[in-house]
């Protein structure tokens, strides 16, 4: 069958290829994401497909040679019945699995797509870069009109690196690190007034560059590591 989408109900008889490109021609599916009781995925022709697990229930949502699949760290993320993602063309999209519900939210610089898509209750937060602000915290509510910058920790194009955006309870935490500057922890509830610097984790003279920027969340707490000259690499909360 070539390289194809398969479906299984957990039994040998219920495990089969959909064979969307019949014969030895490969469909080359990638980036599968569940949306309700269906699955969205791309093929090698940059086509976005949706399937209910049957050949008859599988079809193209969008075909566009300038519509590559999501890049690493840029989705896809399911939020409020739609899939959000960005690709290496800098395009930031939302789709509900229908052609009319597939909407371009914004175009960013090529090869610098939004990263760390983080759904909260009312906003989807992400980190993005543009020429006016450099790197900043952005948000969307699912329309081009509601897609815009939320907070620029250091105004102007010479922005710090923003990393580690992660939901913790009803808020999201992230790190800010300026070149030759301090390593700061921030928190956001999705609102401008609720996006605040928590503390400086270590000064420019004390900080080593961390090897990982990940946060882990449990019990309403954020766990992360800080690597400093005075205490070495330690677990923080």
């Amino acid at each position: 069958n070539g390289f194809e989408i398969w479906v299984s109900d957990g039994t040998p008889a219920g495990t089969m290829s959909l064979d969307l490109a019949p014969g030895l021609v490969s469909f080359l599916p990638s980036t599968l994401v569940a949306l309700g009781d269906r699955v969205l995925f791309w093929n090698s022709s940059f086509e976005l497909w949706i399937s209910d697990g049957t050949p008859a229930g599988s079809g193209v949502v969008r075909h566009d040679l300038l519509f590559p699949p999501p890049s690493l760290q840029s989705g896809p993320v399911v939020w409020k019945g739609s899939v959000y993602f960005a690709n290496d063309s800098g395009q930031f999209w939302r789709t509900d699995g229908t052609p009319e519900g597939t909407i371009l939210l914004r175009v960013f610089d090529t090869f610098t797509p939004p990263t760390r898509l983080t759904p909260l209750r009312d906003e989807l937060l992400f980190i993005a870069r543009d020429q006016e602000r450099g790197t900043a915290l952005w948000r969307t509510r699912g329309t081009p009109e509601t897609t815009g910058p939320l907070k620029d920790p250091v105004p102007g194009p010479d922005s710090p690196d923003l990393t580690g955006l992660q939901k913790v309870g009803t808020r999201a935490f992230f790190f800010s690190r300026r070149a030759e500057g301090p390593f700061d922890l921030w928190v956001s509830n999705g609102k401008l007034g609720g996006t605040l610097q928590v503390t400086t984790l270590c000064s420019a003279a004390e900080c080593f560059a961390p090897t990982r920027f990940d946060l882990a969340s449990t019990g309403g707490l954020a766990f992360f590591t800080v690597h400093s000259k005075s205490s070495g690499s330690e677990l923080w909360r």
Side-chain angles (χ1 to χ4, degrees):
N1 293 323
F3 185 19
E4 294 287 342
I5 287 281
W6 283 60
V7 61
S8 179
D9 63 3
T11 68
T15 302
M16 65 196 73
S17 170
L18 294 183
D19 204 13
L20 298 175
L24 294 178
V25 178
S26 291
F27 187 73
L28 295 175
S30 66
T31 319
L32 279 69
V33 55
L35 180 62
D37 57 359
R38 299 173 297 168
V39 170
L40 284 167
F41 50 90
W42 279 257
N43 69 4
S44 58
S45 299
F46 290 169
E47 291 177 333
L48 176 63
W49 281 65
I50 193 164
S51 177
D52 63 2
T54 67
S58 304
V60 177
V61 177
R62 185 181 177 92
H63 170 72
D64 189 337
L65 292 178
L66 298 177
F67 188 67
S71 56
L72 297 176
Q73 298 293 319
S74 297
V77 168
V78 179
W79 181 59
K80 293 191 174 182
S82 292
V83 176
Y84 292 77
F85 62 93
N87 56 39
D88 283 334
S89 295
Q91 301 167 340
F92 182 38
W93 290 87
R94 186 202 86 193
T95 181
D96 62 3
T98 66
E100 61 275 9
T102 302
I103 300 169
L104 179 63
L105 299 177
R106 192 178 178 95
V107 178
F108 292 89
D109 295 339
T110 304
F111 303 118
T112 56
T115 62
R116 308 292 296 204
L117 278 60
T118 304
L120 297 183
R121 185 179 64 182
D122 298 321
E123 281 89 11
L124 178 75
L125 303 185
F126 57 95
I127 295 170
R129 180 178 180 83
D130 66 2
Q131 294 182 351
E132 179 181 352
R133 299 168 191 83
T135 306
L137 182 66
W138 289 61
R139 64 179 171 182
T140 185
R141 292 185 177 180
T143 66
E145 295 76 20
T146 61
T147 302
L150 173 59
K151 182 71 175 183
D152 187 358
V154 180
D158 297 327
S159 290
D161 289 332
L162 302 185
T163 55
L165 185 64
Q166 173 71 39
K167 181 180 178 182
V168 180
T170 59
R171 301 176 295 170
F173 286 84
F174 62 97
F175 301 116
S176 169
R177 178 72 192 269
R178 279 168 282 181
E180 307 299 329
F183 187 41
D184 299 328
L185 178 67
W186 289 71
V187 66
S188 177
N189 64 359
K191 314 297 181 185
L192 178 60
T195 302
L196 307 165
Q197 181 181 332
V198 178
T199 188
T200 294
L201 299 170
C202 58
S203 66
E206 276 288 298
C207 268
F208 288 108
T211 56
R212 294 185 68 86
F213 293 100
D214 293 337
L215 287 139
S217 168
T218 184
L221 294 174
F223 292 84
F224 51 94
T225 60
V226 176
H227 191 188
S228 69
K229 296 177 182 179
S230 59
S231 59
S233 184
E234 297 291 345
L235 181 67
W236 285 59
R237 74 169 189 182

